[in-house]
Amino acid sequence: MANLPQDIIADILSRLEVKQLLCYRCVSKTWRKLIDGPDFIKLHLTNSISSSSNQLLILKHSKNLYRVSSDSLNLASVLDHPLMCYNHSVKLLGSCNGLLCISNIVDDIAFWNPCTRRHRVLPYLSLEHKKFSGASVYSSSVYGFGYDLIHDDYKLVRITQFCGVQNEIFESEVKVFSLIRNYWTRIRDMPYVLRCPETDGVYACGALHWVVRRNVKFEECNIVVALDLAAEQYKEVLLPKFDGKNFVEVGVLGGCLSVVANYAKFRSDVWVMKEYGMEDSWINLFSVSQEQLLGPLRAIRPLGYCMGGSEVLLTEYTTTNPLRYDLKKNVVKDVRISRAPCRYNVETCLQSLVSINVNRGNNRRNQVAGDYAKNVKKRDDFLSVGFKLIL
């Protein structure tokens, strides 16, 4: 190995799991410097994303977290989190590039890499209270966690909405935490009502996505709004041409935005946007029908690719055990995870070396901005092609 060029060594090591890499840091000072370097961390992350490997499922049950490999799916192990408090309750607010965003019962929030066991607690954010004259008011908050491609920054968004039931009015408060700046800022309010007040945003291609309604009325409509984390602007995503009435859920598959059109007790169609922002790039990847399942068909959402990309891991909203869809054989398989709790929520998380320590130097940001220059131009074109800008 000592005679191999450094770039060859880096390429070999970048294909390994994080647990192995953490051990190999002890081989020599040269290897430690290599593995801890930002270029290697980015290379390892890129390989994991492109190969759909090194992916974990994080299972949340009450106060406990568990981890399990998305390829083997054979054994769940307890995962200790850093926000332990008097009753240990924990929430999963999102996952991005190997970082989890978690919170506890006293509203502490942290960015946490469960593989390296490093975390950072965010500054406390209080909640404002609204009053509408002569109206009953209820409030709800959702979060979204993602990566700002332009500024090389991880951001957490909190959307709090206050709705008056009688007079059908609503107000919202949107705040964004930046890991680079290390504080919360308020941005323009979202001009929509969240359809599911307990569903956090889905990150894909530099933006967070929610399914929304135009007003307080509980009418059926399929609107997906995206919040660009760099520009901090809202855009409506142009959806595929669905047939008939359905219930749309948003997700991500292989880094691409996806939507699921759930037709109650009949079938679920999984669509993927192969080129972000391009309406004509939507493809119907596969469908799950009632005949393929043993029990009743419920609303599903994709968790990610597994088995080297040959299968898609799915979960049903009202059940516990995930499903696997074989893309070649077009069959659905049940998944049984040993030592998993009876009921749980699930989040996918890459195994990565991504750090919560911030390099605030201009050189790193300029390098990242150059790397994503093409993405910037493509996203600007979305305003006229794949999105409607909300003024």
Side-chain angles (χ1 to χ4, degrees):
M1 291 288 287
N3 297 325
L4 289 177
Q6 189 76 357
D7 58 337
I8 299 298
I9 295 176
D11 183 67
I12 295 172
L13 294 178
S14 68
R15 303 173 190 277
L16 302 179
E17 294 184 358
V18 172
K19 183 178 180 180
Q20 296 172 302
L21 293 173
L22 294 178
C23 294
Y24 294 159
R25 290 176 70 252
C26 303
V27 170
S28 66
K29 292 182 179 179
T30 302
W31 277 34
R32 174 175 294 188
K33 183 178 179 180
L34 169 66
I35 293 171
D36 291 345
D39 292 335
F40 179 82
I41 292 174
K42 183 177 179 181
L43 176 62
H44 181 267
L45 178 64
T46 301
N47 285 343
S48 296
I49 294 175
S50 61
S51 63
S52 300
S53 62
N54 293 331
Q55 185 167 261
L56 297 173
L57 293 185
I58 307 297
L59 315 180
K60 186 262 177 181
H61 170 71
S62 182
K63 63 182 182 181
N64 296 321
L65 293 179
Y66 303 81
R67 57 177 284 172
V68 60
S69 168
S70 64
D71 281 332
S72 62
L73 293 172
N74 59 359
L75 183 64
S77 58
V78 177
L79 185 62
D80 293 329
H81 66 85
L83 293 183
M84 306 294 283
C85 60
Y86 60 89
N87 78 343
H88 308 314
S89 179
V90 62
K91 294 180 181 179
L92 299 175
L93 304 182
S95 172
C96 180
N97 292 348
L99 296 181
L100 286 173
C101 184
I102 62 174
S103 69
N104 60 16
I105 197 170
V106 294
D107 294 327
D108 294 325
I109 301 175
F111 293 168
W112 171 43
N113 187 324
C115 293
T116 63
R117 300 185 181 181
R118 300 297 180 92
H119 75 281
R120 173 174 293 188
V121 178
L122 278 56
Y124 179 75
L125 180 62
S126 60
L127 179 63
E128 294 184 9
H129 297 279
K130 301 285 185 180
K131 290 185 177 180
F132 300 147
S133 58
S136 299
V137 178
Y138 69 92
S139 65
S140 61
S141 294
V142 297
Y143 290 84
F145 176 50
Y147 179 58
D148 180 342
L149 300 172
I150 307 305
H151 303 101
D152 189 22
D153 192 11
Y154 288 90
K155 293 182 176 180
L156 177 66
V157 176
R158 189 189 75 179
I159 301 175
T160 303
Q161 294 199 328
F162 309 87
C163 298
V165 180
Q166 286 87 347
N167 49 11
E168 298 179 0
I169 61 175
F170 74 95
E171 293 183 13
S172 65
E173 174 192 276
V174 183
K175 291 191 175 182
V176 179
F177 174 81
S178 161
L179 185 59
I180 288 180
R181 296 193 298 262
N182 196 39
Y183 61 81
W184 294 88
T185 56
R186 183 165 182 175
I187 65 172
R188 190 172 75 85
D189 296 343
M190 177 184 282
Y192 299 93
V193 177
L194 296 165
R195 192 194 65 188
C196 299
E198 296 182 355
T199 302
D200 294 320
V202 172
Y203 172 77
C205 304
L208 293 166
H209 304 80
W210 289 269
V211 181
V212 296
R213 304 191 307 269
R214 296 192 187 279
N215 52 55
V216 179
K217 293 181 179 179
F218 291 91
E219 58 189 16
E220 286 190 9
C221 62
N222 292 320
I223 303 173
V224 174
V225 64
L227 172 59
D228 187 304
L229 289 176
E232 296 182 348
Q233 293 181 344
Y234 304 99
K235 309 164 191 175
E236 286 187 16
V237 180
L238 298 180
L239 297 177
K241 304 301 182 183
F242 299 121
D243 58 324
K245 293 185 178 181
N246 53 68
F247 190 77
V248 167
E249 297 292 345
V250 65
V252 61
L253 265 178
C256 296
L257 181 67
S258 69
V259 294
V260 181
N262 290 296
Y263 300 86
K265 300 180 181 180
F266 179 47
R267 77 174 194 276
S268 294
D269 297 336
V270 179
W271 294 76
V272 174
M273 185 182 256
K274 301 300 289 185
E275 292 187 43
Y276 189 65
M278 305 297 290
E279 183 184 7
D280 58 0
S281 72
W282 283 108
I283 63 168
N284 188 349
L285 187 63
F286 64 91
S287 298
V288 177
S289 65
Q290 174 61 71
E291 291 75 16
Q292 294 174 287
L293 303 175
L294 295 177
L297 175 63
R298 303 174 177 89
I300 66 170
R301 65 182 176 96
L303 295 174
Y305 291 104
C306 63
M307 308 304 292
S310 63
E311 297 182 356
V312 175
L313 201 59
L314 305 168
T315 184
E316 294 181 283
Y317 279 94
T318 56
T319 60
T320 56
N321 295 310
L323 304 170
R324 281 162 48 187
Y325 186 90
D326 191 313
L327 293 171
K328 294 181 179 179
K329 299 179 180 179
N330 298 324
V331 296
V332 179
K333 308 172 185 177
D334 287 327
V335 174
R336 303 292 177 181
I337 302 175
S338 301
R339 298 186 184 178
C342 296
R343 303 190 64 83
Y344 53 80
N345 297 324
V346 61
E347 183 73 65
T348 57
C349 181
L350 279 176
Q351 297 185 59
S352 82
L353 294 163
V354 171
S355 173
I356 43 79
N357 295 322
V358 177
N359 180 1
R360 293 183 171 84
N362 290 328
N363 291 337
R364 175 62 178 159
R365 288 199 295 272
N366 290 339
Q367 178 185 352
V368 173
D371 292 341
Y372 291 99
K374 294 182 180 180
N375 291 346
V376 178
K377 183 179 184 302
K378 185 180 292 185
R379 182 169 58 250
D380 290 341
D381 293 339
F382 296 166
L383 299 179
S384 60
V385 180
F387 294 103
K388 294 186 289 184
L389 179 62
I390 307 303
L391 300 176

